[in-house]
Amino acid sequence: MRCRRVRSYLSAYCRGELAGWRHQAVREHIAACPECRREEAVFWEINKSIGNLPERKVSADFNSKLLDRIAKERFRETRTKAYLPRRAPIFGRGKLIPAFASACLVLAFVMFGGVDFVHSPDRSDMYVNRPADVELDSSYMHVLPQEDRQDVIVEHQRNAWAFKQKLAKANRMRNLMNRLAGQNSFGSGYSHSPDNQLIPASQSFITYRPVGSTQTQLTSGN
Amino acid sequence: MVSKETEKQIDHDLIRKVQNGDMVAFNELATRYKDRLMNVITRMINSQQEAEDIVQETFMRVYQHRDSFDFQHCFSTWIYTIALNLARNELRKRKRFKFFDIFDLQGKESEIAVEMKLPSNLGKAIENAMATLPEKYRTAFVLRDIQELPYEEIAKIMNIPLGTVKSRVNRARAMLRERLKPRMEEYNALSKGTLLPVSLL
C-alpha cells in the first residue's frame, strides 16, 4: 500500500476504526515507513488532545431557569382561546325556535282571552261536578219549537248528566267566541229572554240550578 | 457503563412521564442531556452564552412538542436534531463566525513556543482549528470525535447516508490535521527537548 493511501487511513487507524486487511496493511506500512510513522504520531497526539478537551457545561442555575420558563409557558397555554371554555349560550340555536313558538302560543292565548276563559266564572265546577238529577233551566225551552220540547225533556231525563256536560261545553265555547269576535255569535248574535225580549246572546247562557228550584232565572253571562 | 438499549429505555420512560405532565421526569431529562448538548453546541457556534440559550430553547421545543415524539426512534437522536437545527439557524443568522486563525501566529515564534510547552494550549489550538472547519464537516467531526456517537446515530441526526457520515468525518480529520500542521511541527520539536532562548520564556 502506498504512503498516500495509508495516510488517508491513518485517522481511522488511530481511532481503531479500521478492521480486516486494511488494518493489517497500514500497520505493516507504518512499520516500514518513517514518514508515515511521524504522521501516525501526529494523529495520536491530536486524538489525545481532543480527549483532554474540557467539557463545556451549562451554568449552575440552568435547570431552575428552564423550569421557570416552562411554568410560564404552561400558564400561557391555559390562557389561550382554545383552552378557555366557550360561554354556554342562554338560548342556543336548537332551543331558539321552540322557545319562540312557545312564546307565540302564550301570547295568542293571552290576547284571545285565554286567561279570562281559564279564570272565567262561566267555567265553574258546577258544570262538571253536579249530581245527575240536576234539572235544566227552563229558559232553555224558549229557543226550541213547541213540539220538540217534550222529547227534549224526556231525553234529558234519560241522559241528563251527559247532556248537561255537553250543554256546559257549548256554553263555554259560545262565550269564548263572543270574546274573540267582540260581538255576539250564533247567527245574529241575539237570543230571546224568558219574556220574549230580544237580548244579546252574550248576556244569556244556560245555567244549572239545584234540584227543586222552580223559579226560572236568566243569569247574565258576565 | 450503561448500555445503549438501557439508555434508550430510560429516555422513553422519562418522555412518557413528561407527556403525562410529570415535571420531575422533565427535570431528569434536562439533567441527562444538558451538558452533552452544551458540549456540542459550543463547538458548533463557538460562544458559551449563545450555546446555553440554544440548549434552553432546545428543551423548550422538546416540552412544546412532547406529544409528537415517536417512540420508534431514540430520544437522543431527536433532541440532538433539534439542537443542531437551532445551532444551524444561529450560524445562518450570523452569516459569519468568529475564529482564531492559527496562521496569524506565524512570526510569533516565542508565543508559539510557550504555548506548545503547555499541553492544554494544544487543545485550545485544536478548538480554534475546529472553528475554521466548514459547518457540515464540523458537525460530523464534533458528533463523532468529541461526543463519540456511533456512525449510525450521526447518520440519523444529520439525515445523511452512513457512508457520507464516514466520509465527512474522515475529511474533517484531514482538514484539522492540515490546519494544525505548523503547530504540530513546533510541538514535536519542543517535545524532543530542544532548548529555548531565555527571551522566549
Side-chain angles (χ1 to χ4, degrees):
Chain A
M1 196 179 280
R2 294 191 178 183
C3 289
R4 188 179 173 184
R5 191 144 182 206
V6 167
R7 289 181 192 180
S8 70
Y9 287 137
L10 270 180
S11 63
Y13 175 79
C14 294
R15 284 256 168 197
E17 293 172 3
L18 269 188
W21 64 270
R22 288 192 181 90
H23 183 270
Q24 184 68 26
V26 169
R27 193 169 66 176
E28 286 173 0
H29 181 91
I30 288 170
C33 178
E35 288 288 328
C36 291
R37 202 158 46 243
R38 271 198 288 276
E39 279 295 310
E40 184 206 6
V42 169
F43 273 109
W44 277 115
E45 198 61 42
I46 292 174
N47 288 344
K48 185 180 161 188
S49 297
I50 289 172
N52 292 335
L53 284 175
E55 189 181 351
R56 305 294 183 183
K57 292 189 177 182
V58 296
S59 56
D61 60 346
F62 177 84
N63 277 37
S64 59
K65 278 195 272 186
L66 175 64
L67 291 175
D68 186 48
R69 200 172 155 191
I70 297 274
K72 287 178 187 170
E73 175 72 20
R74 290 177 81 172
F75 179 76
R76 193 165 61 235
E77 279 177 5
T78 62
R79 306 306 298 170
T80 59
K81 199 173 176 182
Y83 178 80
L84 288 173
R86 291 172 59 186
R87 191 179 298 175
I90 298 173
F91 286 110
R93 194 178 297 177
K95 294 181 184 174
L96 193 61
I97 294 173
F100 182 72
S102 303
C104 287
L105 281 174
V106 169
L107 193 63
F109 184 75
V110 170
M111 279 175 63
F112 295 129
V115 176
D116 292 339
F117 174 70
V118 169
H119 294 286
S120 162
D122 301 335
R123 187 185 167 278
S124 64
D125 290 340
M126 61 184 173
Y127 295 118
V128 179
N129 296 323
R130 283 291 171 182
D133 56 351
V134 172
E135 293 181 352
L136 283 174
D137 190 332
S138 59
S139 62
Y140 166 75
M141 297 303 194
H142 295 284
V143 300
L144 288 178
Q146 191 65 36
E147 59 274 15
D148 291 334
R149 288 183 187 179
Q150 188 58 39
D151 294 337
V152 168
I153 290 171
V154 170
E155 188 182 348
H156 285 179
Q157 285 173 348
R158 285 179 192 165
N159 303 306
W161 185 238
F163 188 71
K164 285 166 194 174
Q165 281 189 315
K166 289 181 185 176
L167 281 177
K169 186 177 177 183
N171 207 22
R172 288 199 294 273
M173 289 305 296
R174 188 176 66 181
N175 281 326
L176 179 63
M177 288 180 69
N178 287 341
R179 282 176 173 76
L180 283 172
Q183 58 178 326
N184 303 322
S185 56
F186 287 115
S188 64
Y190 287 88
S191 62
H192 292 280
S193 66
D195 55 353
N196 271 341
Q197 296 295 319
L198 197 62
I199 58 171
S202 62
Q203 294 180 9
S204 66
F205 58 90
I206 300 169
T207 60
Y208 290 103
R209 292 180 293 111
V211 174
S213 171
T214 56
Q215 188 176 5
T216 302
Q217 221 173 356
L218 180 67
T219 307
S220 169
N222 293 324
Chain B
M1 188 73 177
V2 184
S3 69
K4 192 69 181 168
E5 278 305 309
T6 310
E7 286 253 1
K8 183 180 172 181
Q9 192 56 46
I10 293 171
D11 290 340
H12 280 188
D13 290 341
L14 287 172
I15 192 66
R16 203 171 278 114
K17 287 179 186 175
V18 172
Q19 288 178 345
N20 292 331
D22 187 352
M23 292 310 295
V24 174
F26 184 80
N27 190 50
E28 177 68 22
L29 265 179
T31 305
R32 281 167 65 83
Y33 280 94
K34 61 181 181 180
D35 290 331
R36 296 188 222 181
L37 293 177
M38 187 67 179
N39 205 28
V40 170
I41 301 301
T42 307
R43 313 279 180 214
M44 289 296 299
I45 67 171
N46 218 31
S47 167
Q48 183 89 3
Q49 184 57 46
E50 289 179 18
E52 187 159 328
D53 292 341
I54 287 174
V55 171
Q56 197 175 92
E57 182 62 28
T58 302
F59 283 110
M60 285 300 301
R61 298 280 178 101
V62 165
Y63 180 77
Q64 286 165 357
H65 299 99
R66 60 196 182 277
D67 293 325
S68 66
F69 174 68
D70 185 359
F71 284 89
Q72 290 183 354
H73 304 295
C74 288
F75 177 78
S76 62
T77 307
W78 188 49
I79 199 169
Y80 272 114
T81 307
I82 295 172
L84 286 172
N85 285 339
L86 289 172
R88 197 174 300 123
N89 293 342
E90 175 64 24
L91 288 172
R92 284 175 189 164
K93 199 165 61 174
R94 279 194 207 166
K95 290 183 181 176
R96 61 175 181 86
F97 52 92
K98 292 179 187 177
F99 63 90
F100 186 75
D101 191 351
I102 61 172
F103 296 107
D104 287 339
L105 292 176
Q106 285 179 348
K108 301 177 183 178
E109 289 80 6
S110 58
E111 292 176 15
I112 293 172
V114 172
E115 281 181 18
M116 286 302 190
K117 284 179 74 176
L118 303 172
S120 61
N121 288 323
L122 180 58
K124 192 168 171 60
I126 291 173
E127 284 187 336
N128 293 336
M130 263 197 298
T132 68
L133 296 176
E135 185 199 321
K136 56 182 181 179
Y137 297 115
R138 188 164 73 244
T139 307
F141 178 80
V142 168
L143 290 175
R144 177 61 195 162
D145 285 2
I146 296 184
Q147 285 301 110
E148 297 181 351
L149 295 181
Y151 281 108
E152 294 76 13
E153 187 168 351
I154 297 173
K156 287 178 187 173
I157 291 170
M158 297 183 69
N159 199 27
I160 52 177
L162 184 64
T164 308
V165 174
K166 291 182 178 177
S167 168
R168 287 188 186 179
V169 170
N170 211 33
R171 183 82 181 107
R173 288 170 182 163
M175 291 167 71
L176 199 70
R177 170 69 183 92
E178 285 301 312
R179 282 163 167 77
L180 288 172
K181 195 172 181 182
R183 197 162 273 209
M184 293 309 299
E185 288 172 354
E186 293 287 341
Y187 183 77
N188 284 337
L190 286 168
S191 66
K192 286 177 184 172
T194 308
L195 291 174
L196 292 172
V198 175
S199 60
L200 293 177
L201 293 174

